[in-house]
Amino acid sequence: MDDKSLPELQKLLKDPSTDAELRSLATEEISSTTERINALSASLQASLVPQHPFAHLPCLLELRPGAGGDEAAIFAGDLLRMYQAYCSRRNLQLRILNIDSSTSKGTEDQIQEAILEVSDPGAYDIFRCEAGVHRVQRVPATETKGRTHTSAVSVLVLPTFPGDGNDEMPIGDAEINRPSSDYSVNPQDVRIDVMRAKGAGGQHVNTTDSAVRLTHIPTNTVVAIQDSRSQHQNRQKAWRILRARLAQARREAREEQMAALRVSVVGIGRMGRGDKVRTYNWSQQRVTDHRSGITVSRLDDVLEAGESLDEIMSSVKSWLQSKDLEALVADEEAASVKQEKQSK
């Protein structure tokens, strides 16, 4: 069938005199035309939205259990393994910068904190959609009455500058020394404490002052690293994490200011990192993302970082694009309203 406009094809379907063969061809053409329109619409939307300022950077993933006690800490381990599998399948370079774990009798490893680095350029753009509170609903291994518990893990995605992989080279000197940079930190604002490492580690533990704790006094942001035997390496890692956290906090503060302006002027806000973003339900074997609204009934495939996880992440990225576009329009409207008020 020759290319026809969508209204013409729909008119053919509504016409009772259209024969069956032509009707079938029109139906197929409408389907393919609709798919092309949706693809072009998505492409246009992507071209209109400015790239996120951190999109080209590597990133840190920070996992911390929230409500739910031991079960939340166990679920943090599940998410850790999911992201490890995802990076392995995508050939992304991931390493663990810091991990605080424990094991209780009769339970799996419990993660109290895990900080991962994905050093590939563009990793922040890939994992940006994972930031927020991930909720799990399942019967814990320690539950004797078969009751379903709800627990949560917070996932933070922070931008970072690439190093040389050995923590020997200062990261982004030109950028971190620029006063207006999100990564700029006044050393006089940071208290540095060194101490002996705690926990398992053989003869090294409690014999050398290798653990490092940085405290950014103005914001009370604290980073403690003790996973290396070298105080120098722990200090390098701690500074990188501190700069990443402060950069993200500064960016989010600006976004919150803009969101408040949008709400006051045009009524558009956006979901923050403290909001529940995804639910993993064991009994129903489903995963639901509360931003894009997508639900998949292949929980195991999601946790194994299979195509189901790709499907969810792609859906959320489209949602983020639509929200960024809404914000772009809202900013223009807010600026216009502000200008009108000033001119009066």
Side-chain angles (χ1 to χ4, degrees):
M1 176 180 288
D2 294 334
D3 287 343
K4 294 181 179 293
S5 68
L6 201 55
E8 289 176 328
L9 292 170
Q10 291 171 337
K11 186 177 180 180
L12 275 175
L13 286 182
K14 293 178 181 179
D15 188 348
S17 64
T18 303
D19 61 60
E21 183 179 359
L22 190 58
R23 188 179 297 276
S24 175
L25 290 172
T27 301
E28 292 177 5
E29 188 66 23
I30 286 176
S31 177
S32 61
T33 300
T34 302
E35 288 180 5
R36 288 199 300 270
I37 290 174
N38 290 338
L40 289 171
S41 176
S43 177
L44 177 61
Q45 180 172 285
S47 67
L48 290 173
V49 177
Q51 187 182 49
H52 192 283
F54 298 151
H56 64 289
L57 293 174
C59 73
L60 301 179
L61 294 172
E62 296 191 6
L63 279 60
R64 291 187 181 85
D70 290 349
E71 177 60 18
I74 293 172
F75 182 55
D78 293 332
L79 292 182
L80 169 62
R81 288 183 288 274
M82 181 180 78
Y83 292 131
Q84 287 176 316
Y86 182 86
C87 289
S88 176
R89 186 168 63 82
R90 294 282 297 267
N91 293 319
L92 298 173
Q93 300 179 48
L94 177 143
R95 61 174 175 158
I96 296 176
L97 293 185
N98 192 49
I99 188 165
D100 180 6
S101 63
S102 61
T103 303
S104 298
K105 186 176 181 181
T107 66
E108 303 174 50
D109 286 346
Q110 299 173 16
I111 304 296
Q112 305 304 323
E113 178 186 71
I115 302 177
L116 318 175
E117 180 183 42
V118 186
S119 57
D120 301 79
Y124 182 87
D125 194 46
I126 294 173
F127 287 100
R128 177 186 168 205
C129 61
E130 293 302 291
V133 176
H134 294 236
R135 185 178 68 169
V136 59
Q137 295 174 325
R138 65 182 175 188
V139 179
T142 55
E143 170 59 53
T144 58
K145 296 183 179 180
R147 292 172 296 189
T148 297
H149 290 216
T150 298
S151 308
V153 172
S154 172
V155 178
L156 272 66
V157 182
L158 310 174
T160 184
F161 280 95
D164 64 354
N166 296 313
D167 291 323
E168 298 294 334
M169 182 179 68
I171 52 173
D173 282 343
E175 182 68 14
I176 64 178
N177 290 330
R178 183 166 56 86
S180 60
S181 167
D182 284 333
Y183 284 87
S184 178
V185 179
N186 186 347
Q188 295 180 352
D189 290 339
V190 180
R191 185 176 71 245
I192 303 175
D193 300 306
V194 294
M195 63 207 78
R196 293 183 179 180
K198 300 177 182 178
Q203 295 180 351
H204 160 69
V205 173
N206 297 323
T207 60
T208 59
D209 293 335
S210 60
V212 176
R213 181 174 64 222
L214 303 182
T215 304
H216 186 247
I217 298 170
T219 62
N220 198 33
T221 302
V222 180
V223 177
I225 297 292
Q226 67 168 33
D227 64 312
S228 172
R229 296 189 177 190
S230 165
Q231 183 191 121
H232 174 71
Q233 290 185 2
N234 285 335
R235 187 185 295 253
Q236 290 278 359
K237 290 179 181 179
W239 270 105
R240 291 170 68 187
I241 294 169
L242 179 65
R243 292 187 192 280
R245 288 183 184 175
L246 292 178
Q248 182 76 353
R250 289 163 180 165
R251 172 72 185 178
E252 288 180 351
R254 290 197 299 273
E255 290 181 345
E256 286 174 3
Q257 289 177 349
M258 291 305 300
L261 179 61
R262 291 173 196 133
V263 169
S264 64
V265 176
V266 291
I268 295 179
R270 69 179 300 153
M271 183 174 284
R273 73 178 183 183
D275 293 292
K276 175 187 68 180
V277 297
R278 194 174 298 162
T279 295
Y280 304 73
N281 186 293
W282 249 250
S283 64
Q284 299 176 15
Q285 283 293 291
R286 67 168 173 85
V287 180
T288 298
D289 196 280
H290 304 288
R291 295 160 295 182
S292 67
I294 187 174
T295 294
V296 299
S297 300
R298 300 178 297 277
L299 174 63
D300 291 342
D301 189 55
V302 171
L303 293 175
E304 292 169 3
E307 293 182 359
S308 299
L309 181 58
D310 286 331
E311 185 180 349
I312 292 173
M313 292 175 70
S314 177
S315 173
V316 177
K317 287 173 183 175
S318 296
W319 178 86
L320 285 170
Q321 276 190 349
S322 68
K323 289 300 176 183
D324 286 343
L325 187 58
E326 286 181 13
L328 187 64
V329 173
D331 289 345
E332 292 292 334
E333 293 182 8
S336 177
V337 170
K338 184 177 179 180
Q339 188 174 7
E340 288 179 5
K341 288 182 178 180
Q342 290 175 343
S343 63
K344 291 181 179 179

